[in-house]
Amino acid sequence: MEQNIILNINDHDYLVKVEPDEVLVDVLRFKVGLTGTKKGCGTGDCGACTVILDGRIVDSCLILAVSVEGKKIITIEGLEKKGKLHPIQQAFLDHGAVQCGYCTPGLILATKALLDVNPHPAEGEIRIGISGNLCRCTGYTKIIEAVKAAGELLDRGAQ
Amino acid sequence: MTRESNLGISAPRIDGYIKVTGRAKYITDLSRPGMLYGKILFSDRPHARIIHIDTSAAQSMPGVHAVITSTDTPNILYGLYLRDRLIFAKGKVRHIGEPIAAVAAESENIALQALQKIQVTYEDLPAVFDPFEALKPDAPIIHPDVESYQGIYPFIKYGNVCMDAEVNHGDIVKGFAEADVIVEGTYHTSAIHQSSIEPHACLAEFDHWHRLTVWTGTQQLTLCHQELASALGLPMTKVRVIPAWLGGGFGGKLKSLFEQICALLAIKSDRPVKIELTREEEFICTHARGPQTIYIKTGAKKDGTLVAREVRVVADMGGYSDHALGMATHAITFASGVYAIPNVRGHALAVYTNNPDWGCMRGYGGSEITFAGESQLDLLAEKLSIDPADLRLKNLYKDGDTFITTQKMDCVNIHDTMQAALQTSGYRKKKGQLAPNHGIGIANSILNTGFLSSSVVLRANPDGTVSLLTSVTDLGTGNLTALCQIVAEALGLPFDKIGVASQDSDSSPYDTGSIASRTVFDAGNAIILAAVDIIHQLIKLAALAFECDEEDVIYEEGAAFRKSQPEIVRSFAELVSDALFVSGGPLIGRGATLANPPHKHEIGRGFAERPAGTFTFATHVAEVYVDPETGSVCVTNYTAAHDVGKVINTDGIEGQVEGGVIQGLGWALYEELVYPQGKIINPNFVDYKIPTALDTPPIIDIFIEKPALRGPFGAKGMSEPPMVPPMAAISNAIFDACGAHVQTIPINLERLYNALHPGNKSD
């Protein structure tokens, strides 16, 4: 049976009606209308549906929407502020880290969660930090460059 | 004033901002009011007669609006190389994953429940899963009507063979007679999946003119439109196809796939219908790259001169032919690799089996034959006691040589890619000097670029901007950004003045599409013609405005001026306004190309291959460490040198190389679909692993820029070539590291362990 819940997404409260078995990715995409979060496998293997939940990355295809009431959810739509790209978004653009773009929102959020707790990751830590996010286009080289550059941009207080 | 060039720079991707902010819309993101969810019932039998399909229980379920089977479809055979398929199985199923029926319902759950209520009564038929078994006289025949099938060429067909083709160059009998050393062997390339992160999806409804409209992520907008209309028996004017951003393609989103089914559900239910595949369905029924078995025999003189090569390819089609057939023709076209071997024979059999309906992927037959040929050269080098690099250098094609298809070759830059890769990788210093269990391997490759037709329209806008109308879709490669750079350069305008018009089969001009590394080359050439068309008109307009002869007008850098009075200038934007309001009429440029008209004569038997627009070459050098205990391989360094003609977009071309190399690394070492009895048993990213950020070596990209004849601003195509040599380069590095010559890719743990520990052999 559908029930009303309040989801805090990108610092806004949304009142949504969900089925108890609905997963967060579907609710974000088609009930809230935030289609920036992608669905690539539905089984937690590809990371396209990555969102940040209370500071940690999760595969939103494995999370029941009813279970995250009262938690803070950050999606890709929450990063750009007042028309200014988040430094991670800017770094992905500047370093050619985007090709088809389907994995990009998840990778940008995985990067944010990593840099939030580890502002100066070594390359190995970057690789581990994004290893749950599959990208079939880039071969990761430019993504890793972008993550390094984003760390430097954030250091310089770009935002 | 000199303008900065629009080429050879990292021009910002036109889709960059929308992709990093999550604003870019893919088909999976779309929905329509009243939309239903479509699900397809796939065959779970590899070969069976369909006795009866009972859909009554599904039809009567609340929330179900349409159930369709072959009886609801026009009975029209379609297909690209060979028209051998229907929308739904009729009479019998030929592989697991063949569509049998489909349902449109108010929710995905209802649709799934309805699928379960469809009763299919089968009578199993003897099935065959090995193409060599399928060639035997007593094999079950999968397509009894094969000889009547029509195709793009009158292929030689019989039994389970839907193409028997041969190409000859010189005289291989004489060639092998002259050889001092001969090596022969059989190589096998496993089936792999394109694995775009975006699953296939499409959405169909009737538009406000009651025309069938289909939104779909396709690499080939025009061909999707054409094939969809043809399969439905509708004129192209009654069907409209609209693409969105593609979340990857790699050969997995060619022309049409399930658009026909989606459209039929929309017709029957009179509601919008969306089909989105699950990841499991992606693996099982979306035309993964088919496997090939390649027998190859090469003869050489003692001094290393290659004198003869024979290649025999057996390509498994699965239940239907499609692009697996095209990949077989490519494997024999590139039989001689990058080497001027005077005597070559290539023979290909495209064979139906009851395996999944295979398709193609990046590298299209070229990767397969390159793995076989380049791996074998290292065996030959060892036999001849010649360094593998020197053996290669001795035999390279050069300008003026005749390719196996009789085409005279030009812009042959393989010598340059080899020298650059050898030098940058430090091959000469490292070869034979590396620590135990470390190895270094080299592989060369050739691929065609420039293929079939492109047309574009350039629409000049009164604000001085230009809209590019094209059917070329961007799978992620950045080709639309590169095409905008070419428009800007051709018209002498800044890059930010160029935009791509909304794409729609109603208005976007004909294009063969984003396949075969062709769009920068072919659509780029069409753009140059369209720009010249516009410039001619601008000169006329300027002559009228200046009240002078056209000969006295020069157009450059976005403005026209009088030769005799250079201070008299009209800008591009002013001239476009002149056209609108003073004379001439709105300014439109048109460009159309056909890259490669067919050969005028037969080039073999049962076979047709167009000449290439041009060829592109590459040399890769891989370094590996092999764990002798386990057979696990770590690629430690990688150098990729490519003959690109001219770099259009720096970030874009580097991204193509890095992505292609890593896809090749995945295939070289672990990617493989496993399908005992025709059933894919690893249809997910846990059991079918693609490379992650933990698996990638440092890659050095090298671009040889020697302007290509016939290429736009000298550019060659560059999306597929990086996935052609990696399997051979890595295989040769493994051979160098541990002496194991594994003839099947992927060279996974089990295969390499068995090669290192003979006696345990199970493969």
Side-chain angles (χ1 to χ4, degrees):
Chain A
M1 222 190 55
E2 282 196 324
Q3 61 189 91
N4 285 315
I5 60 169
I6 293 168
L7 291 180
N8 184 274
I9 306 163
N10 305 327
D11 291 327
H12 288 276
D13 281 337
Y14 292 85
L15 178 65
V16 282
K17 231 181 211 152
V18 302
E19 295 285 351
D21 62 348
E22 267 187 289
V23 288
L24 182 58
V25 63
D26 293 338
V27 172
L28 288 172
R29 285 170 55 75
F30 294 114
K31 294 217 163 148
V32 183
L34 296 175
T35 56
T37 304
K38 301 303 178 200
K39 190 173 180 179
C41 68
T43 49
D45 301 321
C46 76
C49 66
T50 300
V51 299
I52 298 178
L53 186 66
D54 282 347
R56 301 183 57 171
I57 48 170
V58 294
D59 289 323
S60 61
C61 70
L62 299 180
I63 304 276
L64 291 176
V66 288
S67 71
V68 294
E69 209 175 2
K71 299 191 178 184
K72 283 179 85 72
I73 301 161
I74 300 174
T75 71
I76 190 67
E77 290 88 350
L79 264 58
E80 184 187 16
K81 298 278 167 64
K82 295 178 188 153
K84 190 170 158 29
L85 290 179
H86 187 282
I88 299 172
Q89 293 172 311
Q90 191 62 50
F92 268 62
L93 279 187
D94 294 345
H95 291 267
V98 178
Q99 286 194 30
C100 86
Y102 211 74
C103 70
T104 305
L107 270 156
I108 287 175
L109 291 170
T111 302
K112 179 170 174 10
L114 171 70
L115 296 179
D116 281 350
V117 296
N118 181 0
H120 306 285
E123 184 174 314
E125 292 173 315
I126 294 173
R127 288 178 183 270
I128 291 169
I130 62 169
S131 62
N133 294 75
L134 297 178
C135 167
R136 191 58 155 166
C137 297
T138 65
Y140 304 102
T141 302
K142 294 200 181 305
I143 293 173
I144 292 164
E145 283 169 18
V147 177
K148 287 180 192 165
E152 287 160 21
L153 276 178
L154 286 163
D155 257 2
R156 294 208 302 270
Q159 192 168 327
Chain B
M1 193 180 68
T2 51
R3 177 182 51 88
E4 210 172 292
S5 173
N6 287 300
L7 308 179
I9 56 168
S10 287
R13 287 185 72 108
I14 58 170
D15 50 347
Y17 171 77
I18 56 173
K19 285 181 174 174
V20 296
T21 54
R23 286 180 165 84
K25 293 285 185 219
Y26 301 77
I27 301 299
T28 48
D29 299 328
L30 305 182
S31 51
R32 305 288 297 167
M35 184 178 87
L36 304 176
Y37 297 81
K39 284 304 255 184
I40 301 167
L41 180 69
F42 297 105
S43 159
D44 58 1
R45 309 292 175 102
H47 199 198
R49 189 163 290 123
I50 300 171
I51 307 294
H52 183 63
I53 304 175
D54 181 0
T55 59
S56 54
Q59 305 259 24
S60 60
M61 268 182 68
V64 170
H65 290 257
V67 182
I68 55 173
T69 65
S70 67
T71 57
D72 300 279
T73 65
N75 197 20
I76 304 170
L77 285 167
Y78 70 99
L80 181 65
Y81 289 92
L82 208 55
R83 290 195 284 280
D84 62 356
R85 65 179 66 231
L86 294 166
I87 296 170
F88 288 113
K90 187 177 179 186
K92 70 172 185 172
V93 293
R94 293 175 170 89
H95 66 95
I96 292 174
E98 181 167 0
I100 295 178
V103 169
E106 283 164 22
S107 75
E108 212 174 334
N109 274 340
I110 298 173
L112 282 170
Q113 287 165 28
L115 284 191
Q116 288 176 351
K117 294 200 174 174
I118 298 175
Q119 299 286 329
V120 185
T121 314
Y122 294 106
E123 178 193 319
D124 283 320
L125 295 168
V128 60
F129 305 104
D130 177 340
F132 290 90
E133 293 293 322
L135 288 170
K136 292 184 176 164
D138 57 345
I141 297 299
I142 296 161
H143 287 263
D145 300 329
V146 67
E147 284 170 52
S148 69
Y149 291 162
Q150 302 295 304
I152 56 164
Y153 187 81
F155 295 115
I156 298 168
K157 311 185 284 293
Y158 51 86
N160 284 319
V161 172
C162 59
M163 181 192 70
D164 178 334
E166 188 174 293
V167 60
N168 277 297
H169 179 69
D171 178 348
I172 59 157
V173 177
K174 180 174 137 279
F176 280 114
E178 287 169 2
D180 298 316
V181 177
I182 293 173
V183 285
E184 60 184 325
T186 300
Y187 294 78
H188 183 76
T189 58
S190 297
I192 59 169
H193 196 265
Q194 299 87 0
S195 293
S196 299
I197 307 301
E198 176 206 32
H200 286 75
C202 52
L203 199 168
E205 78 169 338
F206 288 96
D207 72 3
H208 59 292
W209 285 23
H210 200 66
R211 282 175 314 171
L212 188 63
T213 303
V214 177
W215 288 266
T216 188
T218 176
Q219 296 182 223
Q220 296 177 286
L221 175 58
T222 309
L223 271 75
C224 180
H225 182 209
Q226 199 176 330
E227 190 169 78
L228 180 56
S230 144
L232 296 174
L234 291 171
M236 287 171 75
T237 48
K238 297 283 184 199
V239 179
R240 183 178 170 203
V241 182
I242 302 173
W245 294 108
L246 271 81
F250 316 113
K253 293 175 182 168
L254 302 176
K255 47 197 182 73
S256 64
L257 190 63
F258 298 123
E259 288 82 354
Q260 289 84 342
I261 294 175
C262 197
L264 286 165
L265 287 171
I267 291 169
K268 186 141 184 194
S269 63
D270 206 8
R271 295 265 292 264
V273 177
K274 183 179 182 182
I275 293 178
E276 180 176 332
L277 297 190
T278 65
R279 184 53 56 180
E280 184 175 346
E281 289 168 338
E282 274 291 304
F283 274 102
I284 286 173
C285 60
T286 62
H287 302 194
R289 179 182 211 137
Q292 291 190 357
T293 301
I294 301 174
Y295 165 82
I296 180 165
K297 177 175 164 186
T298 305
K301 294 285 207 189
K302 274 189 200 124
D303 69 353
T305 306
L306 302 177
V307 289
R309 176 170 277 177
E310 183 184 2
V311 166
R312 294 204 302 263
V313 177
V314 172
D316 182 2
M317 301 294 101
Y320 296 89
S321 66
D322 202 71
H323 274 284
L325 187 153
M327 286 215 306
T329 67
H330 252 212
I332 56 172
T333 304
F334 293 109
S336 57
V338 302
Y339 310 106
I341 307 175
N343 307 293
V344 183
R345 174 187 289 165
H347 178 240
L349 292 176
V351 185
Y352 289 125
T353 64
N354 297 113
N355 286 326
D357 184 5
W358 302 124
C360 67
M361 189 179 165
R362 192 179 200 172
Y364 204 86
S367 305
E368 284 80 355
I369 187 64
T370 299
F371 166 63
E374 290 291 302
S375 296
Q376 188 177 62
L377 274 190
D378 278 28
L379 283 185
L380 182 63
E382 190 182 58
K383 253 188 157 171
L384 292 164
S385 302
I386 298 177
D387 182 89
D390 293 326
L391 175 63
R392 286 169 167 82
L393 283 167
K394 193 175 176 63
N395 290 285
L396 297 176
Y397 272 132
K398 53 187 189 313
D399 284 351
D401 281 345
T402 304
F403 192 61
I404 192 168
T405 59
T406 71
Q407 181 174 3
K408 279 267 182 260
M409 301 177 83
D410 55 31
C411 309
V412 178
N413 299 318
I414 182 64
H415 194 81
D416 304 73
T417 60
M418 259 204 91
Q419 292 296 3
L422 289 173
Q423 195 177 355
T424 304
S425 66
Y427 175 90
R428 298 281 187 199
K429 283 193 296 263
K430 290 174 179 170
K431 178 75 179 171
Q433 306 298 318
L434 295 171
N437 304 313
H438 285 73
I440 187 164
I442 187 167
N444 286 324
S445 70
I446 176 173
L447 212 60
N448 57 315
T449 172
F451 182 60
L452 292 174
S453 303
S454 277
S455 56
V456 302
V457 171
L458 295 178
R459 198 186 68 208
N461 302 316
D463 62 353
T465 61
V466 175
S467 303
L468 166 63
L469 279 75
T470 172
S471 290
V472 165
T473 53
D474 189 335
L475 330 183
T477 59
N479 55 355
L480 287 179
T481 302
L483 292 180
C484 286
Q485 290 177 257
I486 292 173
V487 175
E489 193 64 17
L491 288 171
L493 297 172
F495 171 70
D496 63 7
K497 297 285 183 196
I498 317 300
V500 177
S502 290
Q503 299 185 301
D504 183 330
S505 65
D506 268 357
S507 53
S508 304
Y510 188 101
D511 199 289
T512 300
S514 300
I515 60 157
S517 306
R518 62 175 298 283
T519 57
V520 160
F521 191 92
D522 294 322
N525 277 331
I527 284 169
I528 288 175
L529 293 175
V532 167
D533 185 5
I534 285 198
I535 290 169
H536 283 153
Q537 298 173 61
L538 292 171
I539 287 174
K540 275 198 181 117
L541 291 162
L544 284 170
F546 299 155
E547 297 180 341
C548 69
D549 290 339
E550 287 174 27
E551 289 71 33
D552 195 19
V553 177
I554 288 183
Y555 175 86
E556 62 183 30
E557 305 307 330
F561 59 90
R562 268 190 87 162
K563 238 184 280 183
S564 51
Q565 282 172 280
E567 69 281 3
I568 301 184
V569 178
R570 273 186 98 63
S571 71
F572 180 83
E574 289 168 331
L575 291 165
V576 176
S577 290
D578 288 349
L580 288 174
F581 303 112
V582 182
S583 64
L587 209 53
I588 282 189
R590 170 188 165 280
T593 61
L594 172 61
N596 45 357
H599 292 278
K600 286 207 171 66
H601 51 89
E602 293 283 315
I603 57 165
R605 183 176 61 84
F607 178 63
E609 182 76 285
R610 285 168 179 269
T614 190
F615 293 104
T616 167
F617 299 87
T619 304
H620 286 195
V621 176
E623 285 175 61
V624 301
Y625 165 72
V626 176
D627 182 333
E629 293 279 313
T630 62
S632 100
V633 175
C634 177
V635 180
T636 53
N637 267 310
Y638 205 94
T639 306
H642 283 267
D643 155 43
V644 303
K646 164 81 189 160
V647 172
I648 304 293
N649 189 300
T650 315
D651 271 352
I653 201 163
E654 289 172 1
Q656 287 311 297
V657 172
E658 290 152 7
V661 166
I662 297 309
Q663 285 183 348
L665 183 149
W667 194 12
L669 297 178
Y670 40 86
E671 286 187 38
E672 176 175 14
L673 291 169
V674 183
Y675 46 96
Q677 306 296 304
K679 181 178 169 63
I680 292 173
I681 57 167
N682 55 341
N684 57 69
F685 285 137
V686 172
D687 298 314
Y688 182 96
K689 296 218 185 292
I690 67 172
T692 73
L694 297 172
D695 306 321
T696 65
I699 299 170
I700 299 173
D701 317 317
I702 303 165
F703 300 109
I704 304 298
E705 292 192 77
K706 286 193 171 178
L709 297 172
R710 303 179 297 281
F713 296 106
K716 294 183 174 184
M718 253 310 283
S719 283
E720 289 180 274
M723 203 192 171
V724 180
M727 291 67 67
I730 291 170
S731 152
N732 288 339
I734 293 170
F735 181 50
D736 185 49
C738 65
H741 184 77
V742 182
Q743 292 176 210
T744 294
I745 46 169
I747 304 172
N748 57 22
L749 281 169
E750 186 182 353
R751 291 196 178 101
L752 189 50
Y753 181 87
N754 286 338
L756 290 167
H757 303 83
N760 290 329
K761 200 167 162 59
S762 64
D763 193 22

